[in-house]
């Protein structure tokens, strides 16, 4: 693993372990709601949201940390990601991310 990957994984783990921040709890509920709303799961659980969160591309994680995952720009990126990877997410597959800049 690269240095950069280790830092992003630590960010993801620290975020998900945070059970005291009200904002993080609301954002976790948002992930659950987004998965249900987009038809990924009938009723998304917290475990489903965790799986989803750990599949998010690094750009969404970094922007989510900076702006909050409920920021309109970040939400739009999340929704685009869900739609682009819907079948893989429904099957709990690892999602390979490719970016075009």
């Amino acid at each position: 693993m690269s240095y950069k990957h280790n830092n992003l994984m630590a960010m993801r783990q620290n975020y998900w372990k945070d059970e005291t921040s009200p904002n993080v709890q609301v954002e976790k509920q948002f992930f659950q709601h987004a998965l249900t709303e987009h038809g990924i799961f009938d009723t998304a659980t917290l475990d489903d949201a965790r799986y989803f969160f750990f599949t998010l591309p690094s750009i969404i994680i970094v922007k989510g940390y900076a702006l909050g995952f409920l920021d309109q720009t970040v939400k739009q990126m999340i929704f685009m990601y869900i739609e682009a990877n819907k079948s893989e997410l429904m099957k709990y597959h690892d999602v390979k991310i490719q970016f075009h800049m």
Side-chain angles (χ1 to χ4, degrees), residues 69-85:
F69 289 97
L70 298 179
D71 176 81
Q72 199 59 36
T73 304
V74 178
K75 285 170 64 173
Q76 187 63 32
M77 292 172 70
I78 290 170
F79 296 152
M80 288 172 50
Y81 171 77
I82 290 172
E83 289 303 316
N85 297 286

Side-chain angles (χ1 to χ4, degrees), residues 18-61:
D18 183 350
E19 295 184 4
T20 59
S21 170
N23 289 343
V24 171
Q25 299 313 308
V26 169
E27 290 171 343
K28 288 178 183 179
Q29 290 175 353
F30 160 72
F31 294 137
Q32 287 178 267
H33 179 72
L35 292 169
T36 301
E37 185 177 283
H38 285 86
I40 304 301
F41 303 109
D42 291 332
T43 305
T45 65
L46 194 56
D47 285 336
D48 296 330
R50 183 186 187 285
Y51 153 75
F52 171 69
F53 179 76
F54 277 80
T55 69
L56 289 173
S58 58
I59 188 72
I60 295 177
I61 297 297

Side-chain angles (χ1 to χ4, degrees), residues 12 55-59 81 85 94-100:
R12 291 174 200 268
T55 69
L56 289 173
S58 58
I59 188 72
Y81 171 77
N85 297 286
D94 288 333
V95 180
K96 301 271 184 188
I97 305 301
Q98 295 181 349
F99 286 102
H100 302 284

